[in-house]
Amino acid sequence: MINFPKSRIASVLLASTALAATATALTVAPAAAAASPKASSAYSASTASSVRVVSPTSYAARLVTLTNQARAKAGLPALSTSSCLPPVATRWAGSMAKSQQMTHQSLDNLAAACPGWRTVGENIAKGNVSADVLFTAWMNSPEHKANILRSKFNQQSVAVVRDSKGFYWVSVEFALR
């Protein structure tokens, strides 16, 4: 098991870049350096127009489908669903929704959930946009795209929580086992 030092646990929300797409305000925070044991990215979206409401389960399933389609297009194998990541992703999406703060979780949470991992990554999001719009934004962000298409990853877990304001809170955990 890799011991992730506290110094590697950094807020990736310090530097951000604004993007514009289909009347949606997007904020993307750069991921940690590729050499880091954890690559992570954050995304927040809001829009004046309403999005078709779908269940969090359907939203998550669509993100899984889009991720594996993008990987296939890039010549990469599909990511399997991790047996140990779902509780971690679900807890984190719920925690962000409850606190109304989009932040990355500690590497310690991920490392403790699935001992034996060699590489982990995380994409998180908050917004009231469709899964397709979110995924397009992620694919237009080098850091998010790198997590999605990282050839070393072979597992993932996607959790989505919808809060009382109608925002989807997304936590996607990636891993190499």
Side-chain angles (χ1 to χ4, degrees), residues 41-158:
S41 299
Y43 163 86
S44 178
S46 61
T47 180
S49 63
S50 60
V51 64
R52 192 186 109 199
V53 176
V54 297
S55 73
T57 302
S58 296
Y59 198 102
R62 181 67 181 149
L63 288 174
V64 168
T65 297
L66 291 167
T67 295
N68 285 329
Q69 286 174 348
R71 289 178 64 84
K73 186 175 178 180
L76 298 168
L79 298 174
S80 63
T81 300
S82 168
S83 60
C84 57
L85 279 176
V88 176
T90 300
R91 270 194 309 274
W92 196 249
S95 175
M96 289 190 300
K98 183 177 179 180
S99 70
Q100 293 289 297
Q101 293 187 12
M102 189 178 66
T103 59
H104 287 278
Q105 63 184 306
S106 165
L107 290 174
D108 294 336
N109 292 342
L110 298 173
C114 300
W117 283 359
R118 294 178 283 181
T119 306
V120 297
E122 178 179 66
N123 285 357
I124 60 174
K126 171 199 171 195
N128 62 345
V129 297
S130 70
D132 290 68
V133 170
L134 169 60
F135 192 80
T136 298
W138 277 350
M139 291 304 285
N140 287 327
S141 161
E143 294 83 8
H144 292 93
K145 185 176 182 178
N147 276 347
I148 292 164
L149 299 180
R150 192 172 308 274
S151 62
K152 290 183 179 181
F153 289 146
N154 60 9
Q155 295 183 2
Q156 71 174 329
S157 181
V158 180

Side-chain angles (χ1 to χ4, degrees), residues 151-172:
S151 62
K152 290 183 179 181
F153 289 146
N154 60 9
Q155 295 183 2
Q156 71 174 329
S157 181
V158 180
V160 178
V161 171
R162 191 161 186 264
D163 69 16
S164 61
K165 297 175 185 174
F167 286 97
Y168 293 101
W169 294 83
V170 181
S171 178
V172 181

